[in-house]
Amino acid sequence: MRWLLLIVGSATTAMALGFAAVYLLSEMQLQDREAVHQFSTSIPDDAASIERGRHIARTRGCFGCHGQQLQGYDFDEQWDWPKRAVAPNLAKYARTHDAQTIEAAVRQGIGADGRELMSMPSFNFARLRDDDLAALIAFLRSAPVVEVSLPRPALGWDVRWDIARGRELSMADWVEMVPPLRLDPAVQPILAEGEYLAMTMCNECHGLDLRGESYYSGWDSGPPTPDLAIVAAYDRVQFERLIESGYALGDRKLGLMALVAPDRFPSLSDSEVDSLHQFLQSLASEPAPDAFWRP
Ligand code: HEC
Ligand code: HEC
């Protein structure tokens, strides 16, 4: 009996130590990048800037994930991999955190508690311009706070194990890999605007460099997302229909694309659609570079 107790006791201790090690190692990975607090653009409060901020929030998908009233959202049903991802109430968050903390979450992928985010797609916002980010913050602070009760987020042991082994990257790790914007607005204003829009709207799902992502199918069991050079096949009218409704050439209703497009992209202005269309068409003249997210 004594032996049995000893064996059970040591097995329990070993297990507890194993869990503690996974927990500590994953926390180390989640805290190995520090936020750089250098954002110093002042937050405007005029009506035009707040409208601009609303436009950024709409076209960059903040409403889709944080709720149409920015009230927050529990992803429990949709995403089971992190165990429980909970997008916080953004109207409230923006009022209770300073601009530098908000910048770190949105562009660097590092949360207010100093830990790297896992589900918030900061790589899609890494290249947001300072003035657009300031307008976005102004808008979030102006939005009425709608209180709903949200559960606490949780990271499962399997994800922690992957993080601990360096198999699962954090949002801050992904942000580091976002390519820089290449075009100079002073030289090619329309194409540079199109590049800016694409690199802050479409790279969430079409690969950090817009040239497609097969990795993605593993995340969402959806199909790999195509290289956006495919847009060369679309004329202006067809392209507008695609990004406003999710209907592809040949009247095909797409899947996830048809879900996000009507929520985000109908608010793009005509000139934004023009620049985006022209820039994406120009991609066809270059081969897609190698990248590990499209093995
Ligand atoms: C694909 C869904 C998604 C989109 C799009 C999204 N978020 Fe998030 N966001 C989340 C989730 C989930 C969290 C919770 C943290 C996590 O799990 O990574 C979060 C967390 C945050 C946080 C808090 C970070 C912290 O813990 O301190 C801020 C601030 C934030 N998001 C701002 C925004 C803004 C602004 C936009 C639009 C530009 C946006 N988010 C778009 C899903 C999203
Ligand atoms: C939230 C993820 C997501 C975002 C953001 C997104 N897409 Fe997509 N897109 C997809 C997926 C997934 C597909 C593959 C078809 C499907 O499942 O909907 C797709 C397919 C497409 C196609 C292929 C059409 C065809 O002919 O088969 C084009 C073009 C496209 N997207 C353009 C864009 C552009 C331009 C943007 C940015 C303005 C964008 N997408 C943003 C997920 C996204």
Side-chain angles (χ1 to χ4, degrees):
M1 188 63 187
R2 247 216 252 141
W3 284 111
L4 192 63
L5 275 180
L6 202 65
I7 291 167
V8 171
S10 15
T12 318
T13 314
M15 245 172 80
L17 284 176
F19 276 109
V22 169
Y23 183 86
L24 285 176
L25 284 169
S26 61
E27 281 300 311
M28 268 163 68
Q29 295 279 3
L30 288 172
Q31 294 175 45
D32 68 351
R33 290 182 195 278
E34 254 181 72
V36 181
H37 285 147
Q38 276 172 356
F39 183 64
S40 58
T41 309
S42 61
I43 307 304
D45 58 8
D46 60 292
S49 303
I50 290 175
E51 242 351 87
R52 172 75 188 157
R54 184 196 306 276
H55 182 68
I56 300 292
R58 175 53 66 198
T59 51
R60 270 63 175 183
C62 315
F63 290 100
C65 289
H66 287 265
Q68 295 298 331
Q69 299 174 294
L70 303 173
Q71 74 277 18
Y73 188 76
D74 174 11
F75 278 92
D76 196 28
E77 305 278 298
Q78 279 93 331
W79 301 340
D80 50 5
W81 69 268
K83 182 150 176 159
R84 190 157 213 160
V86 182
N89 184 322
L90 271 190
K92 205 162 144 187
Y93 185 102
R95 282 177 175 76
T96 46
H97 291 88
D98 62 24
Q100 297 201 335
T101 306
I102 303 173
E103 190 274 342
V106 175
R107 290 200 302 204
Q108 302 177 46
I110 300 179
D113 59 3
R115 293 165 73 239
E116 292 157 44
L117 304 176
M118 291 303 295
S119 311
M120 155 79 178
S122 304
F123 53 78
N124 195 36
F125 314 128
R127 299 284 171 256
L128 269 184
R129 290 179 193 135
D130 288 350
D131 57 340
D132 279 344
L133 182 64
L136 174 62
I137 295 174
F139 162 66
L140 297 177
R141 286 184 175 160
S142 77
V145 176
V146 176
E147 292 276 2
V148 298
S149 78
L150 292 166
R152 282 176 66 83
L155 271 183
W157 285 108
D158 44 350
V159 185
R160 281 198 178 275
W161 174 228
D162 285 343
I163 297 173
R165 290 181 299 160
R167 285 277 190 88
E168 181 79 61
L169 298 176
S170 76
M171 216 34 81
D173 297 329
W174 284 106
V175 163
E176 290 284 308
M177 293 184 280
V178 179
L181 298 181
R182 293 182 299 167
L183 304 180
D184 181 352
V187 183
Q188 293 163 292
I190 296 178
L191 289 176
E193 179 65 11
E195 180 188 38
Y196 173 63
L197 292 167
M199 289 292 290
T200 55
M201 294 195 307
C202 319
N203 66 349
E204 178 182 346
C205 307
H206 287 274
L208 296 185
D209 57 2
L210 310 167
R211 305 305 301 265
E213 182 162 76
S214 41
Y215 202 79
Y216 184 86
S217 47
W219 287 351
D220 206 54
S221 65
T225 52
D227 178 345
L228 286 183
I230 194 177
V231 171
Y234 282 73
D235 69 22
R236 174 67 170 73
V237 173
Q238 292 162 333
F239 179 67
E240 181 159 344
R241 178 158 191 251
L242 167 78
I243 61 168
E244 295 192 349
S245 66
Y247 278 89
L249 289 183
D251 221 25
R252 275 174 298 129
K253 187 169 189 204
L254 298 174
L256 179 61
M257 184 66 193
L259 261 179
V260 294
D263 179 63
R264 302 181 183 183
F265 307 136
S267 344
L268 290 172
S269 70
D270 283 345
S271 81
E272 285 178 319
V273 176
D274 282 341
S275 332
L276 192 58
H277 183 228
Q278 286 186 36
F279 168 72
L280 293 174
Q281 287 201 314
S282 76
L283 292 179
S285 62
E286 302 167 36
D290 288 338
F292 76 85
W293 54 82
R294 89 183 138 250

